[in-house]
Amino acid sequence: MGLLSVTGNDFTVAGLRGTDLYASYGLPVVRVLAEVSAVVCIGGLLFSAFLLPSPHRASIRTAGWAAVLWGVAALLSVPFTLADAYARPLGYVLEFDRLLALAFAVEPTRAWMLTALVAAVIAIAATRVETRRSSRLLLGLALFGLVPVASSGHSSSGGDHDWATSSLLVHLVAAALWVGGLVAILAYRKGEHLTAAVTRYSTVALWCWIALAASGVINALVRVRPPNLVTTSYGWLVIAKLGALLVLGVFGYFQRRHGVREVVQTGTGRALLKLGAVEVLMMLMTIGLAAALARTPPPDHNELVPTVELKLGYVLSGPPDLARLVTDWRFDLLLGTAAIVLAVLRFRSLTWIAGCAGVVIATSSGIGRYAPAVFSLDVLSTMILAVLSPMLLAIGAPRSWRVLMHPIAATALFGSSVYLVYLTGVFEWSSDQPVVRAGIHLWLLLTGFVFFCSAFAPEIALRDRRTMTVAALVTQSVFGVALLLKDNAIGEAFYRSLKLPWTADLLASQQLGGAIAFGFGVVPLLAVSLMLFVTPQRAAERELTASP
C-alpha cells in the first residue's frame, strides 16, 4: 500500500464527490492479485509446455486454479475501475443495473471482462489438457489474456501510442514468462527432470530480461520526457521499476553462475531456492510498481496532440508518394523485431530471408507507416503479409518448422481471413488500435504460412494441393472484385476523422486496393497453381523434399 502514497488522483473528475477508501485502495489490490495469478497461470503452462520433456499434470492443475483466481480478480476489477474512472464511491457503481450499463461503456472495464472470459476458458480447458501441443495452445491463450488490459491503459492514448502499447505488451509477456517460469521451477525443485527444466529456463530468463530491459526503456521514453523523470511521481516510479529490473538482472546472473551450475552438478535445487526466493520477491515488487504506474497518469498525458497523432500515434509528413514509401520508415516493434529474429535464426535460406524482409517492409517501411491512413496501402500491406511473405517463408522454412493442416481447414482459414478483416467491421474496429492491428497482421501471416506449407508439402496428395490453390485463387479474386465494385467506402468514418486533405476520394483508394489485391494476392497464387498443375507428382515431391 505504500506505493499508493506516490500515486496521484489525476483521474478525479471535477465536480464529482470522488472515490472512497474502498475504491482507492481496492483497485491496486485487485490489479496486483490479477497480475500475480496471471503470472502463476502462465508459469505453470510454460513449465508443462516447454521446460519439461512431457506434460506435467500438477503444473497444469496449478495453472487452472490460478486462472480461476485470475478471472475472479478481473471481474472484481470492473467495479473498482468504474469507481475510479467516474470518481464515485464503490457502493454507487455496485448497483446491478448501473454496473451493467457502465461496464460496457468504458474501455478498461471491457478489457477486464474480456480478460475474465479468457481466464475462464483456460480454467475449463486445463481440466482436459493431456499433451504438450494442447499445453502450448493454452499458453498462447494465456499470453493473449494480457493483451486487453495492456492495450487499454495510458499507453493506448496520446502520441507514439503505437510504440507505447507494443513495448508495454512485450514488457508484460516477458515479465510473465520470467516470473511465472521461476515460480514453477521453485515449486518443482525436487522433480526428476529438474536439471533439464532449469537449463531450459535459464535460456528463457536471459531472453526475457533482454526483452524487459529494451521494452521498459522504450516505454519510459515514450510516456515521460527525460526532465520529468526526476520531478514527478510517475518519473520516480519509472526509475524505481528500471532499478528493480537491473537488480533482477544481477540476481539472474548469479543464479546462472551458481544456482544453475549446482543443480546441473548435483540434481538438487537448494542453491536455486535461496537465490530464487529473493528473485521472486524482487519480481513481485516490480509487479507492484507496475500496478502503481498503471494508476498514475504520465505527467504529459493531458497535452494536446494533432488528430492524426492521436489516432495513429504519429504524424504523417505529406501524401504517400514513392519517395516517402521508400524512405519514411517507422519500425514495428512487434512484427518487425520478430521478423529480424527469425531471419537471424534461419540465415542460410535466401527465400526465408526474403519472406522476413517482406514482413519488415509491410509493417515498418513507408508502406506500413501510411497503411493505417490510406486504404490502398493497407491492402498492399495485407497482401504482402497474407500471401507473398508466407509463400517465401514456407519455401525457405526447414522441414521441422513447417506446419501442416488438413487441406480444407488450411484453405478455409486462408481464404476467409481477408473477408473477416475487411467486410465484417473488424477493420473499422482495429483502425486506431495498434495492438489489434498487429494481432490481425500476425493472424494473416500465420494462416498464410500454414496454407503454403500445406500446399507445398509432398505428404499431401498433389490433387488436394491443386484444389487448395485453385480455391484460394478464386476467393482472392472475388475479394479483389468486391473491393472494385463496392459502392461505399470501408472505414469511412475513421478516414474522415483523420482530416487528411489528400485522402478525400476514399472510393478511388478502395478501387486501387482492389487492383492491388489482384496484383499482389491473385498473381502469386496463380503462379503457384500453375506450378502444381504442370509439375508431375514425382518431380514435385523430389523438388519439394530437397528444399531446406
Side-chain angles (χ1 to χ4, degrees), residues 208-284:
C208 286
W209 186 85
I210 293 172
L212 275 169
S215 60
V217 170
I218 292 172
N219 199 268
L221 292 177
V222 166
R223 294 198 287 181
V224 59
R225 296 174 181 175
N228 289 329
L229 282 173
V230 294
T231 59
T232 64
S233 59
Y234 188 91
W236 282 112
L237 285 172
V238 168
I239 293 174
K241 187 177 178 182
L242 291 178
L245 183 59
L246 290 175
V247 173
L248 284 175
V250 173
F251 273 108
Y253 170 76
F254 283 108
Q255 178 172 295
R256 277 184 290 276
R257 284 197 60 182
H258 301 292
V260 175
R261 182 188 304 167
E262 181 175 329
V263 170
V264 172
Q265 291 175 350
T266 66
T268 63
R270 183 175 301 174
L272 186 68
L273 180 61
K274 288 187 293 186
L275 276 174
V278 179
E279 191 168 347
V280 167
L281 290 176
M282 289 296 300
M283 288 176 172
L284 293 177

Side-chain angles (χ1 to χ4, degrees), residues 263-501:
V263 170
V264 172
Q265 291 175 350
T266 66
T268 63
R270 183 175 301 174
L272 186 68
L273 180 61
K274 288 187 293 186
L275 276 174
V278 179
E279 191 168 347
V280 167
L281 290 176
M282 289 296 300
M283 288 176 172
L284 293 177
M285 184 183 298
T286 304
I287 292 177
L289 288 167
L293 278 171
R295 195 170 184 272
T296 307
D300 304 317
H301 77 287
N302 286 323
E303 290 188 4
L304 296 177
V305 296
T307 300
V308 174
E309 188 175 3
L310 186 63
K311 295 284 186 178
L312 305 182
Y314 53 87
V315 296
L316 298 172
S317 56
D321 54 26
L322 181 60
R324 290 192 176 98
L325 294 182
V326 173
T327 62
D328 199 0
W329 285 57
R330 185 176 180 84
F331 188 69
D332 187 296
L333 293 179
L334 295 179
L335 290 183
T337 302
I340 292 174
V341 171
L342 290 174
V344 171
L345 291 176
R346 183 65 182 166
F347 189 73
R348 292 173 296 172
S349 172
L350 292 180
T351 50
W352 177 267
I353 298 297
C356 292
V359 174
V360 174
I361 291 172
T363 59
S364 302
S365 71
I367 295 173
R369 185 185 184 102
Y370 278 87
V374 182
F375 184 84
S376 56
L377 292 177
D378 188 88
V379 174
L380 175 57
S381 176
T382 294
M383 290 300 108
I384 296 174
L385 291 170
V387 181
L388 287 178
S389 284
M391 182 177 67
L392 295 169
L393 291 172
I395 294 173
R399 293 187 63 81
S400 60
W401 291 14
R402 293 173 185 171
V403 182
L404 303 184
M405 186 178 287
H406 191 282
I408 294 178
T411 306
L413 286 175
F414 176 74
S416 63
S417 292
V418 289
Y419 291 89
L420 292 175
V421 171
Y422 287 100
L423 302 180
T424 63
V426 172
F427 178 80
E428 288 84 349
W429 171 56
S430 65
S431 295
D432 58 352
Q433 301 283 341
V435 172
V436 177
R437 285 179 58 85
I440 292 173
H441 290 164
L442 180 61
W443 171 260
L444 293 170
L445 189 64
L446 291 177
T447 54
F449 181 70
V450 171
F451 172 81
F452 283 107
C453 283
S454 302
F456 293 151
E459 297 89 343
I460 298 177
L462 182 60
R463 177 186 60 190
D464 293 337
R465 291 187 279 138
R466 288 170 175 171
T467 304
M468 288 176 63
T469 56
V470 171
L473 183 62
V474 171
T475 57
Q476 289 291 324
S477 300
V478 172
F479 172 71
V481 171
L483 293 183
L484 286 170
L485 299 181
K486 194 172 176 61
D487 57 2
N488 60 305
I490 299 173
E492 180 175 5
F494 171 75
Y495 289 127
R496 298 296 185 198
S497 70
L498 297 179
K499 299 179 180 178
L500 296 172

